Amino acid sequence: MISLTMQMIDGAPVYSATDLVGYLACQHLTALDRAAVDGVVPLPWAHDAELEVLRKRGFEHERRFRATLEGEGKRIVEILPDASVEDYSARIVGAARATEQAMADGVDVIYQGTFFGNGWRGHPDFLLRVDDPGRPSRFGPYHYEVADTKLARAVKAGAVLQICSYVDQLEGIQRVRPDRLHVVLGGSARRTETLRVDDFMAYYRNVKYRFQAALADADQLRSLLSIAPDPVDHCRVCRWSERCDAHRHSVDHLSLVANISARQRVGLTVRGITTLEALGSSDIPFNPPLEGTKPAAAERVREQARIQLEGRNAGKVLHELLLPVEPDKGLSCLPAPSTGDLFFDIEGDPYAFEDGFDYLFGVLEPSKTGGDGRPLFHAVWSRGFDEEFSLEGEKLAFERLIDLIMDRLRVDPNLHVYHYAPYEPTALKRLMGRYGTSEEEVDCLLRGGVLVDLYRAVRQGLRAAVESYSIKKLEPLYGYAREVELRDATSSIVAFEHWLQLGSDERPGDDVLDRILAYNRDDVVSTWQLRDWLEAQRSELLAKGVEVPRPGPREAAPTEGLSANLQRVAALEERLLGGVPVDAADRTPEHQANWLLGQMLSWHRREEKSGWWRYFHLMDELTDEERIEEKEPLGGLEFIGPVGEVARSTLYRYRFPPQDYEVEVGRSPHDPATGRGAGEVYWIDERECLIDLKRGKASTATHPTSLVPDKHVDSKVLQESLLRLGEWVAANDVEGKGPYRSARDVLLRAPPRVAIDKLSPSGSLQRPGDEKIMVAVSLGVALDHSVLAIQGPPGSGKTYIGARMIVAMIHAGMRVGVTANSHKVIGNLLDAVCRAAADAGVAVRAVQKADEGQAFDHPAIRRVGNEEVLSALRSGEANLAAGTAWLWARPEMAESVDVLFVDEAGQLSLANALA
């Protein structure tokens, strides 16, 4: 059953934060909900198994956060509506009063509270008490803040908007607005993102005003119901999705055209072309051109509509090959078939085990025959040694899969592994990074072009009469008949979730798993059949005299320099891990420190891989038109001409269609056609869609039609610093006196080492009655080649304390360094230091390594280069120096300051902190 959040209570509509977020996602959703409340349209009755999975996972996430709060000793009160009260309105009112009473009682945490009034109700997951006499509520010298749990791994706009609605209602009850809101994210990291309420309330009020205005306009609501809505991201989890999909089909909506963009639909609608049939019957080229769409893209979408219309009239799936054939695009990205070719598909569950779980790796090996007489199918399940599904099992399955592929490669170096769509290579990269295993083997597969995506070959090589280019929609083209009932994309996830929920005694054998395995085998067999059909299409083109080149050879082995570095890291890691038990439970603190340091040696390379993979995908595997649809590059550039000169360079202007992009002024993006820099971005006009590139007057490079941003930041200085640390530890010991002792203390998780007279008689760092700021100042000055961690939530005074510690150290004649993950964070601490120094009458002479526009602007701070930082510290010209990890990891900066402050250390990787 599907229930509404928007409801009629005591004859009046009552709205919720969920309704507000739904309005932002789709105004048609709001119109349908209101029509259902008014009885104009029937409420859909359905059971969405995937939504049930999401709800279950959400409740588990809530319970884990509650357990965390209980572990901190918090007193928690849960608000449970009185089920004995039949009247729904009375239950809501009772729960709201119970919530207010719990606030008056001053409990630490209110779980599942209720707000109700002024036509709105809210159910925040958690209300957290904050003791703050400076900002009391009407209940006393404290107030409450909202924390909501979300399964997402990153904060989304809808979550913030929802919490702002709760904050608005909370403020009316306690009569003070909280400073902060908290989003408790999902995944194994379970991060809590804390945001300033005032940064978002104006936006919330604007959305709420528009929402209420829309609901007050009955004519607008009626008109929305009569119009088939455009599909949006929210459709996947919307209660009305089946109704809207049927509506779109009944009116032949433009969204039924495969791969048409929302921007193209808008441009066509403005021209009076509102159906697939109208588009497929229209004349091309469009005159005048479609606004915001390049002529080639407009022709592509019209031709797609045409073939779908022809296929509809013919009653079958038609297709046609795209000409001319571009090198390394479409059918030209197909390598020559080889005897040992493999076909690969993964079954995964994005919700299981918190971070998602790939539970079945299916590989078809057509060159061999299985016991059933059919092509050999390998089903690699993610089960551990105990035969239960587990993360240990996922790691073992991943390693078995890679071993299988590498074994076959040794027998047939010309084989390729075919898959459909990018999930499979993305999963291999993720698993390699998650478990730190099979790294070189996966790199070999990627560098050598062993993995072949047939979706890319299809999308760039042919046009078919289908609404979607999923492999199942294409199967009529090559006559593949599945052995098991065709299922949608989520049914195997739901089936696997059901199997996980059952206890070992309740599971009906492996029937569920057998069905999933059959689904997977159908997928890989279909991929095999598709590859052979595409090869047949290629042969037909060759027979007609059309040239269809094969991809060029790619070198799988690493470059000489990379190979030498990998060997150096591997040798050092082996020295560090010698004698370290495999089982973490058997390790001493020294063992664990060595193990952790060994893992850090290649951390930067692992982290940078995803960026490089994305960069090469954007550069090598997409067409100009496809780049327009990606978020980073700028595609579809048209050269206008030179527009001026700057110094010894010429400014060249280009026009581009409206799109998202991450190309920035002052950076030098790359041209996919040449693989080199296209010039420096001098100016961008987002409104007029114009960009100027600055290039040397002598440049003879061709004008780019796409730009791909180069975001790589060289981490060699950080990697070399970690290698120096690792080599010292391998030659000496992770404990004891000597260089790098602070870093070694971090690895050992050792308590701060200070002069004994600074400790209380009990050995504690803080004497009874000492104020925390004085304790921090005295401990900081007394640290003996060690580390002091100062921890606390946002707003607890860490920056205030840190600034006064720095001023005290400078006053004591110490040289102080400051670092953080960004120049902005560094500037925030420097600002606090300058203010604290002015209050204390201490002279601060600071230098900051930063590019122009990044340094903190203050008379006491001078922006300098790397070399000037060291000379300023050595000469005494500076007593404070600031820069990112790239400054402090340089070998000459060792021992350059007496103490280094790492601000927002929780946002800094351990590898960078050690470097």
Side-chain angles (χ1 to χ4, degrees), residues 552-611:
R554 292 172 59 173
E555 180 57 58
T559 62
E560 185 176 341
L562 176 58
S563 181
N565 182 67
L566 294 175
Q567 291 173 16
R568 180 186 175 193
V569 169
L572 179 54
E573 184 176 343
E574 186 176 353
R575 290 169 61 198
L576 288 169
L577 300 187
V580 175
V582 174
D583 191 337
D586 297 331
R587 297 174 192 157
T588 65
E590 294 75 19
H591 284 147
Q592 182 64 21
N594 276 34
W595 180 87
L596 196 54
L597 180 54
Q599 304 306 310
M600 291 297 103
L601 298 179
S602 54
W603 183 88
H604 290 94
R605 184 165 179 270
R606 286 198 299 270
E607 286 295 297
E608 291 171 1
K609 282 178 181 177
S610 59

Side-chain angles (χ1 to χ4, degrees), residues 724-789:
R724 289 193 300 274
L725 171 61
E727 285 165 351
W728 192 94
V729 170
N732 298 277
D733 193 0
V734 73
E735 278 195 303
K737 295 182 179 181
Y740 314 118
R741 199 169 187 193
S742 295
R744 292 185 282 120
D745 272 10
V746 171
L747 287 167
L748 289 163
R749 303 177 70 178
R753 187 169 41 258
V754 297
I756 194 67
D757 62 342
K758 298 294 181 182
L759 298 176
S760 71
S762 66
S764 168
L765 294 175
Q766 185 172 1
R767 295 183 178 90
D770 284 350
E771 293 185 8
K772 61 183 178 181
I773 186 168
M774 296 309 299
V775 173
V777 168
S778 62
L779 288 174
V781 174
L783 277 180
D784 177 19
H785 296 84
S786 189
V787 179
L788 173 66

Side-chain angles (χ1 to χ4, degrees), residues 374-390:
R374 300 187 297 176
L376 180 60
F377 174 63
H378 303 271
V380 185
W381 292 98
S382 294
R383 287 170 142 166
F385 295 114
D386 59 358
E387 286 302 307
E388 289 293 325
F389 286 102
S390 64

Side-chain angles (χ1 to χ4, degrees), residues 116-154:
F116 184 55
N118 299 318
W120 286 81
R121 63 183 176 89
H123 303 281
D125 292 339
F126 297 90
L127 297 175
L128 309 178
R129 171 173 164 155
V130 177
D131 292 313
D132 187 354
R135 303 188 73 249
S137 67
R138 72 182 179 94
F139 304 115
Y142 61 88
H143 62 269
Y144 286 88
E145 295 175 343
V146 179
D148 237 42
T149 56
K150 299 296 176 187
L151 287 175
R153 272 62 159 181

